[in-house]
Amino acid sequence: MSSSETERPSGADSSADPAPGALPAVAPQLRALRRQASLTLETAARAAGLSPAHLSRLETGQRQPSLPMLLALARVYGTTVSELLGETVAERDSVIRAADMEPTAAGGWTYWQAGAPGRGMQALRVHVPHGSQGDIVRVHPGEEWLHVLRGRLRLRLGDTTHRLAAGDSAHFDSLTPHRIAAEDHDGVELLFVHTLLQSPTAALCLGPTPGDLS
């Protein structure tokens, strides 16, 4: 057996052969979602820990993906295993009302979900108190966009420090080492958008989760 047929993400079970003459529903869905994400076969396979040949077999129904493979591909495509399997997903609300935004505290920051869950981007309204997490350097996959609503923000990208006032924005690659801190004693309030592709929730710039603080 060739190495491309056995290659899989760490901990994954071997893929099973499909029933003779059957094209699994997941195969065309895998291909459609990869193209929707504008990823080549080679790029998607590398990100998921597969060979291009193996991913091609999954997309044509010659091989059946294991659950770890589906999890890896869902992360790469910024979706869920349910969508990869072609299951119907309940329609998500496009409008989020202010009254429905419940505040959540994490690592001294307070944030409100300003976007629908399960999307390829996560939108938040964030309050950063003065002196909170300003010394934490963050590096993780994805992109970030932030817009200062109130107060002044100190943003360090690599070796450069930027000071942003109300109305200023920043858009940067999250693999650039970055620090976020409030300049004013009253803190700073901002809008924050982060792409979730290939990024676990814990990698967001929210500092420790409430469970980590106990």
Side-chain angles (χ1 to χ4, degrees), residues 91-144:
E91 185 175 352
R92 291 173 287 221
D93 292 335
S94 299
V95 176
I96 294 86
R97 303 293 181 185
D100 297 329
M101 297 182 190
E102 294 291 334
T104 301
W109 295 12
T110 302
Y111 66 95
W112 295 258
Q113 291 285 350
R119 299 288 188 180
M121 297 186 297
Q122 181 159 348
L124 304 166
R125 182 164 61 90
V126 184
H127 176 73
V128 180
H130 184 264
S132 174
Q133 301 186 41
D135 58 344
I136 297 178
V137 179
R138 298 169 172 85
V139 181
H140 49 88
E143 291 183 38
E144 292 178 37

Side-chain angles (χ1 to χ4, degrees), residues 138-144 158 172-178 194 199:
R138 298 169 172 85
V139 181
H140 49 88
E143 291 183 38
E144 292 178 37
F172 53 93
D173 188 327
S174 305
L175 286 175
T176 302
H178 52 285
H194 184 281
S199 296

